Amino acid sequence: MDDLRIRAAAPEDLDAVLAFWKVAAEGTSISDDGEGVERLVARDPEALILAERGGELAGTVIAGFDGWRCHLYRLAVHPDHRRQGVGAALLAAAEERFVRLGGRRGDAMVLDRNELAHHAWRAAGYAPEPQWSRWVKPLTD
C-alpha cells in the first residue's frame, strides 16, 4: 500500500472521476454529472477523496459533513484494485476527516443489491440499521 496516494479531488479531476464512476461504481445517482460534482467540490473542497496508484485513479469516496452528521457516498474501487486495501484506506481517510470536523458517527448509502459492497462495509465496522428506510423526493425533473 506504500504506492497508494490519498488526496482531496481538485476541480481538474472531476471529468476523470465521472468517467471512473461509470466503470467502478455500482448504480448511478441524479448528481452524477459535472454540475453536481463541481457544486460538491466548490462547497466542500475536501469532501471528495481520491485514491491513486501509479498516477491512476484507483478509488473514490465522498465524505460529506453538514455540521451535524457524517455521510459517506460513492465508495468505489476500480475492479483491478479491489481487495487490496484501497476501500479501507479511503474509509480511514474519510473517518479521520469526520473526527477532525467533530463528527460522531458515519453513515453510508449502500445499495441493497450490492452484496460485494456489503462485505466491504461490514469489514470496515459498518452495519445496516433495519429500522430506517431512505425516503426521497426528486427536486428537479
Side-chain angles (χ1 to χ4, degrees):
M1 290 286 292
D2 291 337
D3 62 335
L4 192 67
R5 178 179 177 223
I6 304 291
R7 66 175 180 87
E12 58 270 16
D13 296 313
L14 303 186
D15 288 338
V17 167
L18 288 166
F20 176 83
W21 285 342
K22 289 180 180 176
V23 173
E26 179 74 23
T28 57
S29 167
I30 193 170
S31 302
D32 284 0
D33 59 26
E35 230 178 85
V37 180
E38 284 173 12
R39 203 171 22 258
L40 168 71
V41 172
R43 183 182 177 282
D44 187 350
E46 295 182 1
L48 177 53
I49 302 170
L50 308 181
E52 296 174 323
R53 180 172 277 149
E56 293 196 16
L57 195 51
T60 67
V61 70
I62 296 173
F65 182 63
D66 60 15
W68 186 44
R69 300 242 171 128
C70 306
H71 303 286
L72 294 158
Y73 309 92
R74 279 297 186 227
L75 176 63
V77 176
H78 191 280
D80 294 343
H81 296 279
R82 290 182 182 155
R83 304 190 55 81
Q84 299 175 30
V86 174
L90 284 163
L91 287 176
E95 291 166 0
E96 288 170 14
R97 169 181 157 74
F98 291 153
V99 169
R100 193 172 61 248
L101 293 171
R104 298 180 189 172
R105 176 182 64 195
D107 65 52
M109 298 293 298
V110 184
L111 288 171
D112 288 340
R113 70 174 187 262
N114 191 346
E115 292 293 328
L116 182 63
H118 296 184
H119 295 291
W121 285 104
R122 283 191 206 300
Y126 291 79
E129 289 190 323
Q131 71 273 23
W132 296 99
S133 293
R134 181 178 180 209
W135 291 43
V136 299
K137 175 185 175 184
L139 302 175
T140 61
D141 293 332

